[in-house]
Coordinates of all heavy atoms in Angstrom, one line a residue:
M8 N -29.9 3.4 -19.0 CA -29.9 2.8 -17.6 C -31.2 2.0 -17.5 O -32.3 2.5 -17.9 CB -29.8 3.9 -16.6 CG -30.1 3.4 -15.2 SD -29.9 4.6 -13.9 CE -28.3 5.1 -14.0
L9 N -31.1 0.9 -16.9 CA -32.3 0.1 -16.6 C -33.0 0.6 -15.4 O -32.5 1.2 -14.5 CB -31.8 -1.4 -16.3 CG -31.2 -2.2 -17.4 CD1 -30.8 -3.6 -16.8 CD2 -32.2 -2.4 -18.5
R10 N -34.3 0.4 -15.4 CA -35.2 0.7 -14.3 C -35.7 -0.6 -13.8 O -36.4 -1.4 -14.5 CB -36.4 1.6 -14.7 CG -35.9 3.0 -15.2 CD -35.7 4.0 -14.1 NE -37.0 4.3 -13.4 CZ -37.1 4.8 -12.2 NH1 -36.0 5.1 -11.6 NH2 -38.3 5.1 -11.7
I11 N -35.3 -1.1 -12.6 CA -35.5 -2.4 -12.1 C -36.6 -2.4 -11.1 O -36.5 -1.6 -10.1 CB -34.2 -3.0 -11.6 CG1 -33.2 -3.1 -12.8 CG2 -34.4 -4.4 -11.0 CD1 -31.8 -3.6 -12.3
P12 N -37.6 -3.2 -11.2 CA -38.7 -3.3 -10.2 C -38.3 -4.3 -9.1 O -38.4 -5.5 -9.3 CB -39.9 -3.8 -11.0 CG -39.3 -4.6 -12.2 CD -37.9 -4.1 -12.4
C13 N -37.9 -3.7 -8.0 CA -37.6 -4.6 -6.8 C -38.9 -5.0 -6.3 O -39.8 -4.1 -6.1 CB -36.8 -3.7 -5.7 SG -36.6 -4.6 -4.2
P14 N -39.1 -6.3 -6.1 CA -40.4 -6.8 -5.5 C -40.7 -6.3 -4.1 O -41.8 -6.5 -3.6 CB -40.3 -8.3 -5.7 CG -38.9 -8.6 -5.8 CD -38.2 -7.4 -6.3
Y15 N -39.8 -5.8 -3.4 CA -39.9 -5.3 -2.1 C -40.1 -3.8 -2.0 O -40.8 -3.3 -1.1 CB -38.7 -5.6 -1.2 CG -38.5 -7.2 -1.2 CD1 -37.7 -7.8 -2.1 CD2 -39.1 -7.9 -0.2 CE1 -37.5 -9.2 -2.0 CE2 -38.9 -9.3 -0.2 CZ -38.1 -9.9 -1.1 OH -37.9 -11.3 -1.1
C16 N -39.4 -3.0 -2.9 CA -39.3 -1.6 -2.8 C -40.0 -0.8 -3.9 O -40.3 0.4 -3.9 CB -37.9 -1.1 -2.8 SG -36.9 -1.8 -1.5
G17 N -40.2 -1.5 -5.1 CA -40.7 -0.9 -6.3 C -39.6 -0.5 -7.3 O -38.5 -1.0 -7.1
I18 N -39.9 0.3 -8.3 CA -39.0 0.5 -9.4 C -37.9 1.5 -8.9 O -38.2 2.5 -8.4 CB -39.8 1.1 -10.6 CG1 -40.7 0.1 -11.2 CG2 -38.8 1.6 -11.7 CD1 -41.6 0.5 -12.3
R19 N -36.7 1.1 -9.2 CA -35.5 2.0 -8.9 C -34.5 2.0 -10.0 O -34.5 1.1 -10.9 CB -34.8 1.5 -7.6 CG -35.7 1.4 -6.4 CD -36.0 2.8 -5.8 NE -36.6 2.7 -4.5 CZ -37.9 2.6 -4.2 NH1 -38.7 2.5 -5.2 NH2 -38.3 2.6 -3.0
D20 N -33.5 2.9 -10.0 CA -32.5 2.9 -11.1 C -31.5 1.8 -10.9 O -31.3 1.4 -9.7 CB -31.7 4.2 -11.0 CG -32.5 5.4 -11.5 OD1 -33.5 5.2 -12.2 OD2 -32.2 6.6 -11.2
Q21 N -31.0 1.3 -12.0 CA -30.0 0.2 -11.9 C -28.9 0.4 -11.0 O -28.3 -0.5 -10.4 CB -29.6 0.0 -13.4 CG -28.5 -1.1 -13.5 CD -28.0 -1.2 -15.0 OE1 -28.5 -0.5 -15.9 NE2 -27.0 -2.0 -15.1
D22 N -28.5 1.7 -10.8 CA -27.3 2.0 -9.9 C -27.5 1.4 -8.5 O -26.5 1.2 -7.8 CB -27.0 3.5 -9.8 CG -26.6 4.1 -11.1 OD1 -26.2 3.3 -12.0 OD2 -26.6 5.3 -11.3
E23 N -28.7 1.2 -8.1 CA -29.0 0.7 -6.8 C -28.8 -0.9 -6.6 O -28.9 -1.4 -5.5 CB -30.4 1.1 -6.3 CG -30.6 2.6 -6.1 CD -31.9 2.9 -5.6 OE1 -32.6 1.9 -5.0 OE2 -32.4 4.1 -5.7
F24 N -28.6 -1.5 -7.7 CA -28.6 -2.9 -7.8 C -27.3 -3.5 -8.3 O -26.4 -2.8 -8.8 CB -29.7 -3.5 -8.8 CG -31.1 -3.0 -8.4 CD1 -31.6 -1.8 -8.8 CD2 -31.9 -3.8 -7.7 CE1 -32.9 -1.4 -8.5 CE2 -33.2 -3.5 -7.3 CZ -33.7 -2.2 -7.8
R25 N -27.1 -4.8 -8.0 CA -25.9 -5.6 -8.4 C -26.5 -6.8 -9.1 O -27.3 -7.6 -8.5 CB -25.0 -5.9 -7.3 CG -23.7 -6.5 -7.8 CD -22.6 -6.5 -6.7 NE -23.1 -7.0 -5.4 CZ -23.0 -8.2 -5.0 NH1 -22.3 -9.1 -5.7 NH2 -23.4 -8.5 -3.8
F26 N -25.9 -7.1 -10.2 CA -26.3 -8.3 -11.0 C -25.7 -9.6 -10.4 O -24.5 -9.6 -9.9 CB -25.7 -8.2 -12.4 CG -26.0 -9.3 -13.4 CD1 -27.2 -9.6 -13.8 CD2 -25.0 -10.2 -13.8 CE1 -27.5 -10.7 -14.6 CE2 -25.2 -11.2 -14.6 CZ -26.5 -11.5 -15.0
G27 N -26.4 -10.7 -10.3 CA -26.0 -11.9 -9.6 C -25.9 -13.1 -10.5 O -25.6 -14.2 -10.1
G28 N -26.0 -12.9 -11.9 CA -25.9 -14.1 -12.7 C -27.2 -14.8 -13.0 O -28.3 -14.3 -12.6
E29 N -27.1 -15.9 -13.7 CA -28.3 -16.7 -14.0 C -29.0 -17.2 -12.7 O -28.4 -17.6 -11.8 CB -27.9 -18.0 -14.7 CG -27.6 -17.8 -16.2 CD -27.3 -19.2 -16.9 OE1 -27.5 -20.2 -16.2 OE2 -26.9 -19.1 -18.0
S30 N -30.4 -17.1 -12.8 CA -31.0 -17.5 -11.5 C -31.2 -19.0 -11.5 O -31.5 -19.6 -10.4 CB -32.4 -16.9 -11.5 OG -33.2 -17.3 -12.5
R31 N -30.9 -19.7 -12.6 CA -31.2 -21.2 -12.5 C -29.9 -22.0 -12.1 O -30.0 -23.2 -11.9 CB -31.7 -21.7 -13.8 CG -30.7 -21.7 -15.0 CD -31.3 -22.4 -16.2 NE -30.3 -22.6 -17.2 CZ -29.4 -23.6 -17.2 NH1 -29.5 -24.5 -16.3 NH2 -28.5 -23.7 -18.1
A32 N -28.8 -21.3 -12.0 CA -27.6 -22.0 -11.6 C -27.7 -22.5 -10.1 O -27.8 -21.6 -9.2 CB -26.3 -21.1 -11.7
R33 N -27.7 -23.7 -9.9 CA -28.0 -24.3 -8.5 C -26.7 -24.9 -8.1 O -26.0 -25.7 -8.8 CB -29.0 -25.3 -8.5 CG -30.4 -24.8 -9.0 CD -31.0 -23.9 -7.8 NE -32.4 -23.5 -8.3 CZ -32.7 -22.3 -8.6 NH1 -31.8 -21.3 -8.6 NH2 -33.9 -21.9 -9.0
R34 N -26.3 -24.7 -6.8 CA -25.1 -25.3 -6.2 C -25.3 -26.8 -6.2 O -26.4 -27.3 -5.6 CB -24.8 -24.7 -4.8 CG -23.5 -25.2 -4.2 CD -23.3 -24.6 -2.9 NE -22.2 -25.2 -2.2 CZ -20.9 -24.8 -2.4 NH1 -20.6 -23.8 -3.1 NH2 -19.9 -25.4 -1.7
P35 N -24.4 -27.6 -6.6 CA -24.5 -29.1 -6.5 C -24.6 -29.5 -5.0 O -24.0 -28.9 -4.2 CB -23.2 -29.6 -7.2 CG -22.7 -28.5 -8.0 CD -23.2 -27.2 -7.4
E36 N -25.4 -30.5 -4.8 CA -25.6 -31.0 -3.4 C -24.3 -31.7 -2.8 O -24.1 -31.6 -1.7 CB -26.8 -31.9 -3.4 CG -28.1 -31.2 -3.6 CD -29.3 -32.1 -3.4 OE1 -29.2 -33.1 -2.6 OE2 -30.3 -31.8 -3.9
N37 N -23.6 -32.3 -3.6 CA -22.4 -33.0 -3.2 C -21.2 -32.6 -4.0 O -20.6 -33.4 -4.8 CB -22.6 -34.6 -3.3 CG -23.8 -35.0 -2.5 OD1 -23.9 -34.7 -1.3 ND2 -24.6 -35.8 -3.1
P38 N -20.7 -31.4 -3.7 CA -19.6 -30.9 -4.6 C -18.3 -31.7 -4.4 O -17.5 -31.8 -5.4 CB -19.4 -29.4 -4.1 CG -20.1 -29.4 -2.8 CD -21.1 -30.4 -2.8
D39 N -18.1 -32.4 -3.3 CA -16.9 -33.1 -3.1 C -16.9 -34.4 -4.0 O -15.9 -35.1 -4.2 CB -16.7 -33.5 -1.6 CG -17.9 -34.2 -1.0 OD1 -19.0 -34.0 -1.5 OD2 -17.7 -35.0 -0.1
Q40 N -18.0 -34.7 -4.6 CA -18.1 -35.9 -5.4 C -18.0 -35.5 -6.9 O -18.1 -36.4 -7.7 CB -19.4 -36.7 -5.2 CG -19.5 -37.2 -3.7 CD -20.8 -37.9 -3.4 OE1 -21.7 -38.0 -4.3 NE2 -21.0 -38.3 -2.2
L41 N -17.9 -34.3 -7.2 CA -17.8 -33.9 -8.6 C -16.4 -34.0 -9.1 O -15.4 -33.7 -8.4 CB -18.3 -32.4 -8.8 CG -19.8 -32.1 -8.4 CD1 -20.1 -30.7 -8.6 CD2 -20.7 -33.0 -9.2
S42 N -16.3 -34.2 -10.4 CA -15.0 -34.1 -11.0 C -14.6 -32.6 -11.2 O -15.5 -31.7 -11.0 CB -15.0 -34.8 -12.5 OG -15.9 -34.0 -13.3
D43 N -13.4 -32.3 -11.5 CA -13.0 -31.0 -11.7 C -13.7 -30.3 -12.8 O -14.1 -29.1 -12.8 CB -11.4 -30.9 -12.0 CG -10.6 -31.2 -10.8 OD1 -11.1 -31.1 -9.7 OD2 -9.4 -31.4 -11.0
E44 N -14.0 -31.1 -13.9 CA -14.7 -30.6 -15.0 C -16.2 -30.2 -14.6 O -16.7 -29.2 -15.1 CB -14.8 -31.6 -16.2 CG -13.4 -31.8 -16.9 CD -12.4 -32.6 -16.1 OE1 -12.9 -33.4 -15.1 OE2 -11.3 -32.6 -16.3
E45 N -16.8 -31.0 -13.8 CA -18.2 -30.8 -13.4 C -18.3 -29.5 -12.5 O -19.1 -28.7 -12.6 CB -18.8 -32.0 -12.7 CG -19.0 -33.2 -13.6 CD -19.4 -34.5 -12.9 OE1 -18.8 -34.7 -11.7 OE2 -20.1 -35.3 -13.4
W46 N -17.3 -29.4 -11.6 CA -17.2 -28.2 -10.7 C -16.9 -27.0 -11.5 O -17.6 -25.9 -11.3 CB -16.1 -28.4 -9.7 CG -16.1 -27.4 -8.6 CD1 -15.1 -26.6 -8.3 CD2 -17.1 -27.1 -7.7 NE1 -15.4 -25.7 -7.3 CE2 -16.7 -26.0 -6.9 CE3 -18.4 -27.6 -7.4 CZ2 -17.4 -25.4 -5.8 CZ3 -19.2 -27.0 -6.4 CH2 -18.7 -26.0 -5.7
A47 N -16.1 -27.0 -12.5 CA -15.8 -25.9 -13.4 C -17.1 -25.5 -14.2 O -17.4 -24.3 -14.4 CB -14.6 -26.2 -14.3
E48 N -17.8 -26.5 -14.6 CA -19.1 -26.2 -15.3 C -20.0 -25.5 -14.5 O -20.6 -24.4 -14.9 CB -19.7 -27.6 -15.7 CG -21.1 -27.4 -16.4 CD -20.9 -27.0 -17.9 OE1 -19.9 -27.2 -18.5 OE2 -21.9 -26.4 -18.3
Y49 N -20.2 -25.8 -13.2 CA -21.0 -25.1 -12.2 C -20.5 -23.6 -12.0 O -21.2 -22.7 -12.0 CB -21.2 -25.8 -10.9 CG -21.7 -24.9 -9.8 CD1 -23.0 -24.5 -9.8 CD2 -20.9 -24.5 -8.8 CE1 -23.5 -23.7 -8.8 CE2 -21.3 -23.7 -7.8 CZ -22.6 -23.3 -7.8 OH -23.1 -22.5 -6.8
L50 N -19.2 -23.5 -11.8 CA -18.6 -22.2 -11.4 C -18.5 -21.2 -12.6 O -18.8 -20.0 -12.4 CB -17.2 -22.4 -10.9 CG -17.1 -23.1 -9.5 CD1 -15.6 -23.2 -9.1 CD2 -17.8 -22.2 -8.4
F51 N -18.2 -21.7 -13.7 CA -17.7 -20.8 -14.8 C -18.6 -20.7 -16.0 O -18.6 -19.7 -16.8 CB -16.3 -21.0 -15.2 CG -15.4 -21.0 -14.1 CD1 -14.7 -22.1 -13.7 CD2 -15.2 -19.8 -13.4 CE1 -13.8 -22.0 -12.6 CE2 -14.3 -19.8 -12.3 CZ -13.6 -20.9 -11.9
Y52 N -19.4 -21.8 -16.3 CA -20.1 -21.8 -17.7 C -21.6 -21.5 -17.4 O -22.3 -22.1 -16.6 CB -19.9 -23.2 -18.2 CG -18.5 -23.5 -18.6 CD1 -17.7 -24.2 -17.8 CD2 -18.0 -23.0 -19.8 CE1 -16.4 -24.5 -18.2 CE2 -16.6 -23.2 -20.1 CZ -15.8 -23.9 -19.3 OH -14.5 -24.2 -19.7
R53 N -22.0 -20.6 -18.3 CA -23.4 -20.2 -18.4 C -23.9 -20.3 -19.8 O -23.2 -20.3 -20.7 CB -23.5 -18.7 -17.9 CG -23.1 -18.6 -16.4 CD -24.0 -19.4 -15.4 NE -23.6 -19.3 -14.1 CZ -22.9 -20.2 -13.4 NH1 -22.6 -21.3 -14.0 NH2 -22.5 -20.1 -12.1
D54 N -25.2 -20.3 -19.9 CA -25.9 -20.4 -21.3 C -25.7 -19.3 -22.2 O -25.8 -19.5 -23.4 CB -27.3 -20.8 -21.1 CG -27.5 -22.2 -20.4 OD1 -26.5 -23.0 -20.5 OD2 -28.6 -22.5 -19.9
N55 N -25.6 -18.1 -21.7 CA -25.5 -16.8 -22.6 C -26.8 -16.8 -23.5 O -26.6 -16.7 -24.7 CB -24.2 -16.8 -23.3 CG -24.0 -15.4 -23.9 OD1 -24.5 -14.4 -23.4 ND2 -23.1 -15.3 -24.9
V56 N -27.9 -16.8 -22.9 CA -29.2 -16.9 -23.6 C -29.4 -15.6 -24.5 O -29.1 -14.5 -24.0 CB -30.3 -17.1 -22.6 CG1 -31.7 -16.9 -23.4 CG2 -30.2 -18.4 -21.9
K57 N -29.9 -15.8 -25.7 CA -30.3 -14.6 -26.5 C -31.8 -14.5 -26.4 O -32.6 -15.5 -26.9 CB -29.9 -14.8 -27.9 CG -30.3 -13.7 -28.8 CD -29.7 -13.9 -30.2 CE -30.0 -12.7 -31.1 NZ -29.5 -12.9 -32.5
G58 N -32.3 -13.5 -25.8 CA -33.8 -13.4 -25.6 C -34.1 -13.4 -24.1 O -33.4 -12.9 -23.3
R59 N -35.3 -13.8 -23.7 CA -35.8 -13.8 -22.3 C -34.9 -14.7 -21.5 O -34.6 -15.9 -21.8 CB -37.2 -14.2 -22.2 CG -38.1 -13.1 -22.7 CD -39.6 -13.4 -22.2 NE -40.4 -12.3 -22.7 CZ -41.7 -12.2 -22.4 NH1 -42.2 -13.0 -21.6 NH2 -42.3 -11.1 -22.8
H60 N -34.5 -14.2 -20.3 CA -33.5 -14.8 -19.5 C -33.9 -14.5 -18.0 O -34.3 -13.5 -17.7 CB -32.1 -14.2 -19.8 CG -31.0 -14.8 -19.1 ND1 -30.2 -14.1 -18.3 CD2 -30.5 -16.1 -19.1 CE1 -29.2 -14.9 -17.9 NE2 -29.4 -16.1 -18.3
E61 N -33.7 -15.5 -17.2 CA -33.9 -15.4 -15.8 C -32.7 -15.1 -15.0 O -31.6 -15.8 -15.2 CB -34.5 -16.8 -15.2 CG -35.8 -17.2 -15.8 CD -37.0 -16.2 -15.5 OE1 -37.0 -15.8 -14.3 OE2 -37.8 -15.9 -16.3
E62 N -32.7 -14.0 -14.3 CA -31.4 -13.5 -13.6 C -31.7 -13.3 -12.1 O -32.8 -13.0 -11.7 CB -31.0 -12.2 -14.3 CG -30.8 -12.3 -15.8 CD -30.5 -10.9 -16.4 OE1 -30.9 -9.9 -15.9 OE2 -29.9 -10.9 -17.4
L63 N -30.6 -13.3 -11.4 CA -30.6 -12.9 -10.0 C -30.1 -11.4 -9.9 O -29.1 -11.1 -10.5 CB -29.7 -13.8 -9.1 CG -30.3 -15.2 -8.8 CD1 -29.2 -16.0 -8.1 CD2 -31.5 -15.0 -7.9
W64 N -30.7 -10.7 -9.1 CA -30.3 -9.3 -8.8 C -30.4 -9.1 -7.3 O -31.3 -9.7 -6.7 CB -31.1 -8.2 -9.5 CG -30.8 -8.2 -11.0 CD1 -31.3 -9.0 -12.0 CD2 -30.1 -7.2 -11.7 NE1 -30.8 -8.7 -13.2 CE2 -30.0 -7.5 -13.0 CE3 -29.3 -6.1 -11.2 CZ2 -29.4 -6.8 -14.0 CZ3 -28.6 -5.3 -12.2 CH2 -28.7 -5.7 -13.6
V65 N -29.6 -8.2 -6.7 CA -29.7 -7.8 -5.3 C -29.9 -6.3 -5.3 O -29.2 -5.6 -6.0 CB -28.5 -8.4 -4.5 CG1 -27.2 -7.7 -5.0 CG2 -28.7 -8.1 -3.0
H66 N -30.7 -5.9 -4.4 CA -31.0 -4.4 -4.2 C -30.0 -3.9 -3.2 O -30.3 -3.7 -2.1 CB -32.4 -4.2 -3.8 CG -32.8 -2.7 -3.9 ND1 -34.1 -2.3 -3.6 CD2 -32.1 -1.6 -4.4 CE1 -34.1 -1.0 -3.8 NE2 -33.0 -0.6 -4.3
S67 N -28.7 -3.8 -3.6 CA -27.6 -3.6 -2.7 C -27.6 -2.2 -2.0 O -27.1 -2.1 -0.8 CB -26.2 -3.8 -3.3 OG -26.2 -3.3 -4.6
Y68 N -28.2 -1.2 -2.6 CA -28.3 0.1 -2.0 C -29.8 0.4 -1.6 O -30.2 1.6 -1.6 CB -27.8 1.2 -2.9 CG -26.3 1.1 -3.1 CD1 -25.8 0.6 -4.2 CD2 -25.4 1.5 -2.1 CE1 -24.4 0.4 -4.4 CE2 -24.0 1.4 -2.2 CZ -23.5 0.8 -3.4 OH -22.2 0.7 -3.5
G69 N -30.5 -0.6 -1.3 CA -31.9 -0.5 -0.9 C -32.2 -1.5 0.3 O -31.5 -1.5 1.3
C70 N -33.0 -2.5 0.0 CA -33.4 -3.4 1.0 C -32.5 -4.6 1.2 O -32.6 -5.4 2.1 CB -34.8 -4.0 0.6 SG -34.9 -4.9 -0.9
R71 N -31.5 -4.7 0.2 CA -30.5 -5.7 0.3 C -31.1 -7.2 0.1 O -30.5 -8.2 0.5 CB -29.7 -5.7 1.5 CG -28.9 -4.4 1.7 CD -28.0 -4.4 2.9 NE -27.3 -3.2 3.0 CZ -26.3 -3.0 3.7 NH1 -25.8 -4.0 4.5 NH2 -25.6 -1.8 3.7
Q72 N -32.3 -7.3 -0.5 CA -32.9 -8.5 -0.8 C -32.5 -9.0 -2.2 O -32.3 -8.2 -3.2 CB -34.4 -8.4 -0.8 CG -34.9 -8.1 0.6 CD -34.7 -9.2 1.5 OE1 -35.0 -10.4 1.3 NE2 -34.2 -8.9 2.7
W73 N -32.3 -10.3 -2.3 CA -32.0 -10.9 -3.6 C -33.4 -11.3 -4.2 O -34.3 -11.7 -3.5 CB -31.2 -12.3 -3.5 CG -29.8 -12.0 -3.2 CD1 -29.2 -11.9 -2.0 CD2 -28.7 -11.9 -4.2 NE1 -27.9 -11.7 -2.1 CE2 -27.5 -11.6 -3.5 CE3 -28.7 -11.9 -5.6 CZ2 -26.3 -11.5 -4.1 CZ3 -27.5 -11.7 -6.2 CH2 -26.3 -11.5 -5.5
F74 N -33.5 -11.2 -5.6 CA -34.8 -11.6 -6.2 C -34.5 -11.9 -7.7 O -33.4 -11.7 -8.2 CB -35.8 -10.4 -6.1 CG -35.3 -9.1 -6.7 CD1 -35.6 -8.7 -8.0 CD2 -34.5 -8.3 -5.9 CE1 -35.2 -7.6 -8.5 CE2 -34.1 -7.1 -6.5 CZ -34.4 -6.7 -7.8
N75 N -35.5 -12.5 -8.4 CA -35.4 -12.9 -9.8 C -35.9 -11.8 -10.7 O -37.0 -11.2 -10.4 CB -36.2 -14.2 -10.0 CG -35.6 -15.4 -9.3 OD1 -34.5 -15.7 -9.4 ND2 -36.4 -16.0 -8.4
V76 N -35.3 -11.7 -11.8 CA -35.7 -10.7 -12.8 C -35.8 -11.5 -14.1 O -34.8 -12.2 -14.4 CB -34.8 -9.6 -13.0 CG1 -35.1 -8.7 -14.2 CG2 -34.8 -8.7 -11.7
T77 N -36.8 -11.3 -14.9 CA -36.9 -11.8 -16.3 C -36.6 -10.7 -17.2 O -37.3 -9.6 -17.2 CB -38.3 -12.4 -16.6 OG1 -38.6 -13.4 -15.6 CG2 -38.3 -13.0 -18.0
R78 N -35.5 -10.8 -18.0 CA -35.0 -9.7 -18.8 C -34.7 -10.3 -20.2 O -34.2 -11.4 -20.4 CB -33.7 -9.1 -18.2 CG -33.2 -7.9 -19.0 CD -32.0 -7.3 -18.3 NE -30.9 -8.2 -18.3 CZ -29.9 -8.3 -19.2 NH1 -29.9 -7.5 -20.3 NH2 -28.9 -9.1 -19.1
D79 N -35.1 -9.5 -21.2 CA -34.7 -9.8 -22.6 C -33.3 -9.3 -22.8 O -33.0 -8.2 -22.8 CB -35.7 -9.2 -23.6 CG -35.5 -9.7 -25.0 OD1 -34.4 -9.7 -25.5 OD2 -36.5 -10.2 -25.6
T80 N -32.3 -10.2 -23.2 CA -31.0 -9.9 -23.3 C -30.7 -9.1 -24.6 O -29.7 -8.5 -24.8 CB -30.1 -11.1 -23.2 OG1 -30.5 -12.1 -24.3 CG2 -30.2 -11.8 -21.9
C81 N -31.7 -9.2 -25.5 CA -31.5 -8.4 -26.8 C -32.0 -6.9 -26.7 O -31.3 -6.0 -27.2 CB -32.3 -9.1 -27.9 SG -31.7 -10.7 -28.3
T82 N -33.1 -6.8 -26.0 CA -33.6 -5.4 -25.9 C -33.4 -4.8 -24.5 O -33.7 -3.6 -24.3 CB -35.2 -5.5 -26.1 OG1 -35.8 -6.3 -25.1 CG2 -35.5 -6.1 -27.5
H83 N -33.0 -5.6 -23.5 CA -32.9 -5.2 -22.1 C -34.2 -4.9 -21.5 O -34.2 -4.4 -20.4 CB -31.9 -4.0 -22.0 CG -30.5 -4.3 -22.4 ND1 -29.7 -5.3 -21.8 CD2 -29.8 -3.9 -23.5 CE1 -28.6 -5.4 -22.4 NE2 -28.6 -4.5 -23.5
E84 N -35.3 -5.2 -22.2 CA -36.6 -5.0 -21.5 C -36.7 -6.0 -20.3 O -36.4 -7.2 -20.4 CB -37.7 -5.3 -22.5 CG -39.1 -5.3 -21.9 CD -40.2 -5.8 -22.8 OE1 -39.9 -6.4 -23.8 OE2 -41.4 -5.7 -22.4
I85 N -37.2 -5.4 -19.2 CA -37.5 -6.2 -18.0 C -38.9 -6.6 -18.0 O -39.8 -5.7 -17.9 CB -37.0 -5.5 -16.7 CG1 -35.5 -5.3 -16.7 CG2 -37.5 -6.2 -15.5 CD1 -35.0 -4.6 -15.6
V86 N -39.2 -7.9 -18.2 CA -40.5 -8.4 -18.3 C -41.2 -8.5 -16.9 O -42.4 -8.3 -16.8 CB -40.5 -9.7 -19.0 CG1 -41.9 -10.3 -19.2 CG2 -39.8 -9.6 -20.4
G87 N -40.4 -8.8 -15.9 CA -41.0 -8.9 -14.6 C -40.0 -9.2 -13.5 O -38.8 -9.4 -13.9
S88 N -40.4 -9.2 -12.3 CA -39.5 -9.6 -11.2 C -40.3 -10.2 -10.1 O -41.5 -10.0 -10.1 CB -38.8 -8.4 -10.6 OG -39.7 -7.5 -10.0
R89 N -39.7 -11.1 -9.3 CA -40.4 -11.7 -8.2 C -39.5 -12.2 -7.1 O -38.3 -12.3 -7.3 CB -41.2 -12.9 -8.8 CG -40.3 -14.0 -9.3 CD -41.1 -15.0 -10.1 NE -40.2 -16.0 -10.7 CZ -39.4 -15.7 -11.7 NH1 -39.4 -14.6 -12.4 NH2 -38.6 -16.7 -12.2
R90 N -40.0 -12.3 -6.0 CA -39.3 -12.8 -4.8 C -38.8 -14.2 -5.0 O -39.5 -15.0 -5.7 CB -40.1 -12.7 -3.6 CG -40.4 -11.3 -3.2 CD -41.4 -11.2 -2.0 NE -41.8 -9.9 -1.8 CZ -42.3 -9.4 -0.6 NH1 -42.5 -10.2 0.4 NH2 -42.6 -8.2 -0.5
I91 N -37.6 -14.5 -4.5 CA -37.1 -15.9 -4.5 C -38.1 -16.8 -3.8 O -38.5 -16.5 -2.7 CB -35.7 -16.0 -4.0 CG1 -34.8 -15.2 -5.0 CG2 -35.2 -17.4 -3.8 CD1 -33.3 -15.2 -4.5
G92 N -38.4 -18.0 -4.4 CA -39.3 -18.9 -3.7 C -40.7 -18.6 -4.1 O -41.6 -19.4 -3.7
S93 N -41.0 -17.5 -4.8 CA -42.5 -17.3 -5.1 C -42.8 -18.2 -6.3 O -41.9 -18.8 -6.9 CB -42.7 -15.9 -5.5 OG -41.9 -15.5 -6.6
V94 N -44.0 -18.3 -6.7 CA -44.4 -19.1 -7.9 C -43.6 -18.7 -9.1 O -43.4 -17.6 -9.4 CB -45.9 -18.9 -8.2 CG1 -46.4 -19.7 -9.4 CG2 -46.8 -19.2 -7.0
N95 N -43.1 -19.7 -9.8 CA -42.2 -19.6 -10.9 C -40.8 -19.1 -10.6 O -40.1 -18.7 -11.4 CB -42.8 -18.7 -12.0 CG -44.1 -19.2 -12.6 OD1 -44.2 -20.4 -12.7 ND2 -45.0 -18.3 -12.9
G96 N -40.5 -19.0 -9.3 CA -39.3 -18.5 -8.9 C -38.4 -19.4 -8.1 O -37.3 -19.2 -7.8
Ligands
ZN230 ZN1 -35.6 -3.4 -2.6

């Protein structure tokens, strides 16, 4: 089980959190102007990085805040976490 450092509450067990996917996936500003292929790329396709990866998590059974986590997808080591909008986030 992962121990995830919520930037608002501190370290908690993974059971309190929900995974939200890649943190760098940004909603297109003009989705009505995208082709079906471009919209599908945003909705369904991710990089599946091997190594350090930026992810979104929500502390759903705690403060209910979304935040960024840097995790190694090979070892599951959590390198750090930070609030959305903070430096590097
Ligand atoms: Zn929290």
Side-chain angles (χ1 to χ4, degrees):
M8 173 179 294
L9 294 175
R10 298 275 293 162
I11 299 174
C13 174
Y15 301 91
C16 305
I18 296 175
R19 302 286 193 275
D20 288 340
Q21 179 183 353
D22 290 347
E23 295 187 15
F24 298 86
R25 187 165 49 95
F26 179 70
E29 279 184 10
S30 65
R31 69 174 193 81
R33 301 284 184 250
R34 183 179 175 85
E36 292 189 20
N37 300 311
D39 55 332
Q40 297 177 3
L41 298 179
S42 67
D43 289 345
E44 290 78 19
E45 291 168 326
W46 186 242
E48 177 76 23
Y49 163 70
L50 290 177
F51 303 115
Y52 293 98
R53 299 296 180 255
D54 290 341
N55 196 22
V56 172
K57 183 176 181 181
R59 286 192 178 189
H60 185 238
E61 299 293 319
E62 304 173 334
L63 282 173
W64 287 79
V65 61
H66 195 180
S67 43
Y68 292 103
C70 63
R71 298 185 180 194
Q72 294 292 314
W73 286 90
F74 58 95
N75 293 301
V76 169
T77 304
R78 182 177 65 90
D79 189 306
T80 58
C81 295
T82 64
H83 298 294
E84 175 191 8
I85 293 178
V86 179
S88 66
R89 63 193 176 286
R90 296 176 184 198
I91 292 175
S93 63
V94 176
N95 298 325

